[in-house]
Amino acid sequence: VYEAPNSRFIADFIGSVNTFEGTVAKAGSSMEIAAKAGFTIASSNGSDAAAGSTVWFAIRPEKMKISASKPKDAATNAVEGEVWDIAYLGDMTTYNVKLADGMVAKVATVNASRSAAEPLTWGDRAWLSFAPDAGIVLTR
């Protein structure tokens, strides 16, 4: 249920999740989605949704990466925003990043070392990215 919910309701009910709405640009088991947030999502966890239909890409905060620098391959699965809020929780840090469309995405990182390689603070520009298999495409 946590890793493969069958609806937005279940995804949101079980833990924290980022849900990007978009339009299917390429259908099939590997999909491309034009997200309303202004970037292209490439997902290897596609659905039976047809090209042109509205879908939602659900991804858990711990499945996303945050960086001060633009990822090498930012053509898909990467979006820039502004660090809106930071919560240091000892073993992990959560970042709330406001995207250009107003959506606030949440990213969770493990605090495995004493200091961050690329420290981020409130108001900084940051890049969010994820692997093609990190989330799931939902049709409802």
Side-chain angles (χ1 to χ4, degrees), residues 2-7 20 24 26-33 41-49 55-60 63 77 130-140:
Y2 186 82
E3 293 292 340
N6 65 1
S7 70
F20 297 99
V24 176
K26 178 185 166 201
S29 58
S30 291
M31 295 186 116
E32 283 193 12
I33 302 162
I41 297 170
S43 174
S44 60
N45 298 320
S47 74
D48 58 357
V55 294
W56 294 266
F57 182 76
I59 183 168
R60 302 288 179 187
K63 306 284 187 192
N77 300 349
F130 50 90
D133 65 349
I136 188 163
V137 178
L138 303 172
T139 57
R140 56 187 181 106

Side-chain angles (χ1 to χ4, degrees), residues 5-31:
N6 65 1
S7 70
R8 289 179 291 149
F9 174 78
I10 298 297
D12 194 45
F13 185 75
I14 305 294
S16 182
V17 68
N18 297 299
T19 308
F20 297 99
E21 183 177 350
T23 304
V24 176
K26 178 185 166 201
S29 58
S30 291
M31 295 186 116

